[in-house]
Amino acid sequence: MSLHDLLDLPGWVDVTTVLNAEPLGNAGGLGSSGAWIQQLTMGAAFGLGLAKAENQWTELDHWQLNTQLMLFSGRAGYGLAIGAAFPLQATDHPTGLWLTEASVERKGGLGPLAIKGGLLSLNPDFTDMPVFDLYVHSALDNTLNLTVFGLPTNPLVSPGAVVRLDLGQAGDLRFGAYWLNSQTQLAGLFGVDPLQPTVAGTTQAMQWNFVNLPGARQVEGPIRLGERWVERQLPQPRLMLGALNSSTSSAGRNRVVYGGLSLPVRLPFGLDHRLWTGVNVGLDPSRNSAPLFLSGGWAMQGLLPGRPHDVLALGLGRTSFGPDSGSDQSYEGVIELNYNVALNQSMSLGPVVQLIVNPDGSGAVPSIVAAGLQLELRF
């Protein structure tokens, strides 16, 4: 039973609660250690259109109010403590309660135009593809490991606006603008110390998404397995191309171009497969601490007979440091292998192993091998 049904809420209200926990322990680096950190995401949407089919919408049904809070608990800063430059867990943020969205949105429905404004993060509207969410390491999950100072990447928010234009068979085009000056104060609204100095400046982003890729139609809908149908666990193929421009009083101008691509492949084992790649390139390397990030991976559904909903994912990432890093650093790499076991529709659990190559990019820190679990509860 969903949380909406359990609370017997009206149709114009939608609530979601997701718990992600990522306990890890390691060998190598600056010493063996371990950490448990978890993220509780609580979201609510309010709108008359939530209870209606889109072909029945009037103008008022397009409008929706979105709110979201995130609560981080556990040990933050684990990756830094063992010598890595980037967190080994995507949930590794300063602990406490964060406001992560408060927005008014006009959803496009069957029309071409959608707009959203309020307190927003850069992702998931920009720099993010669903295939990234299969991973635990922060460089592989979400935002192509963008390190430009002041960007409002989740859980940080800034006043902003996003316009989305549906281009039909040609995909969709998005434009976003964010005002950064109140970012630190918003992060500390409920007492969190974001461990970031006050930012003054703006960020603009533009992104094109395209889903009509070769083979995409063949992986729509459920998978036929004998006499039954199995729901697909891997996201639809997608091409993402974008650019962003950030200008702050402390870091100057930083421009980045980025992209991602996921494609279906056929293999003689498993039920469904994706190959993917991602890149971000900083055009102002003298002011960007990590101006080049390359990543890629493979994901498979249904490796084991009798486990058609489980997902195996392999990911690789390499981040090159720039002169703005402040020291003689070359690169840090990560290889992650994880297996997600779907226990039921609301809960998944599985092992994860990571190898951090050249931690901190200095050559002075031994490689890190980390292992643990990923747990998700969704209501």
Side-chain angles (χ1 to χ4, degrees):
M1 178 179 290
S2 69
L3 185 60
H4 182 280
D5 294 335
L6 185 64
L7 298 176
D8 194 24
L9 297 173
W12 50 270
V13 179
D14 184 27
V15 295
T16 57
T17 301
V18 181
L19 175 67
N20 295 100
E22 297 169 347
L24 288 181
N26 75 283
L30 298 180
S32 300
S33 184
W36 176 297
I37 191 161
Q38 61 188 22
Q39 170 186 317
L40 178 63
T41 304
M42 299 162 285
F46 307 87
L48 296 177
L50 293 171
K52 300 180 183 179
E54 291 183 350
N55 60 5
Q56 299 176 349
W57 278 6
T58 64
E59 178 58 29
L60 189 60
D61 296 320
H62 285 263
W63 292 89
Q64 182 174 301
L65 174 66
N66 305 303
T67 60
Q68 187 183 81
L69 297 171
M70 286 186 181
L71 177 64
F72 296 93
S73 56
R75 177 188 175 186
Y78 166 61
L80 184 63
I82 62 175
F86 305 105
L88 278 61
Q89 302 138 305
T91 54
D92 189 350
H93 296 286
T95 57
L97 183 63
W98 298 67
L99 173 65
T100 48
E101 184 174 350
S103 67
V104 176
E105 180 177 11
R106 185 195 184 277
K107 301 184 76 69
L110 300 180
L113 182 66
I115 57 175
K116 180 166 60 173
L119 304 179
L120 307 171
S121 295
L122 186 70
N123 54 310
D125 293 301
F126 299 94
T127 72
D128 190 11
M129 294 202 310
V131 71
F132 300 161
D133 296 331
L134 299 176
Y135 300 92
V136 171
H137 194 281
S138 67
L140 300 174
D141 180 46
N142 279 327
T143 57
L144 292 170
N145 212 26
L146 286 167
T147 57
V148 172
F149 175 75
L151 289 184
T153 52
N154 188 283
L156 291 167
V157 294
S158 293
V162 176
V163 177
R164 177 182 177 272
L165 184 62
D166 189 341
L167 304 176
Q169 294 297 311
D172 73 77
L173 194 60
R174 304 178 184 187
F175 302 90
Y178 303 84
W179 183 55
L180 309 179
N181 292 43
S182 59
Q183 184 173 216
T184 305
Q185 293 88 336
L186 290 168
L189 192 62
F190 299 113
V192 172
D193 180 359
L195 303 179
Q196 175 177 295
T198 300
V199 181
T202 60
T203 292
Q204 301 83 38
M206 180 177 67
Q207 181 173 303
W208 175 57
N209 296 317
F210 182 69
V211 297
N212 296 313
L213 294 164
R217 292 190 179 276
Q218 283 69 43
V219 294
E220 291 180 348
I223 303 168
R224 182 68 179 266
L225 183 61
E227 298 299 318
R228 64 189 178 113
W229 294 92
V230 175
E231 183 180 356
R232 291 188 188 272
Q233 303 299 305
L234 301 182
Q236 286 297 105
R238 178 177 298 197
L239 171 65
M240 169 183 74
L241 296 173
L244 64 87
N245 174 73
S246 182
S247 180
T248 64
S249 58
S250 54
R253 186 183 186 190
N254 260 298
R255 296 164 297 170
V256 177
V257 293
Y258 62 87
L261 174 67
S262 66
L263 288 172
V265 292
R266 291 183 177 272
L267 295 174
F269 52 89
L271 301 178
D272 198 11
H273 302 264
R274 297 288 183 276
L275 288 178
W276 66 271
T277 186
V279 59
N280 96 64
V281 180
L283 303 182
D284 302 284
S286 63
R287 296 186 291 274
N288 190 330
S289 60
L292 178 62
F293 173 70
L294 303 171
S295 62
W298 163 63
M300 175 179 58
Q301 178 182 345
L303 170 65
L304 301 177
R307 302 294 312 173
H309 295 96
D310 294 354
V311 173
L312 176 74
L314 173 68
L316 303 91
R318 186 186 191 277
T319 306
S320 299
F321 296 95
D324 188 52
S325 62
S327 60
D328 186 17
Q329 295 172 291
S330 54
Y331 76 94
E332 179 175 292
V334 57
I335 303 172
E336 176 177 316
L337 180 67
N338 68 64
Y339 187 82
N340 191 267
V341 180
L343 300 177
N344 53 48
Q345 290 186 338
S346 301
M347 181 177 181
S348 62
L349 175 70
V352 56
V353 179
Q354 297 175 355
L355 171 63
I356 312 301
V357 181
N358 194 31
D360 193 45
S362 63
V365 180
S367 295
I368 298 169
V369 178
L373 295 172
Q374 52 178 334
L375 167 67
E376 180 177 286
L377 291 172
R378 183 178 294 270
F379 303 101

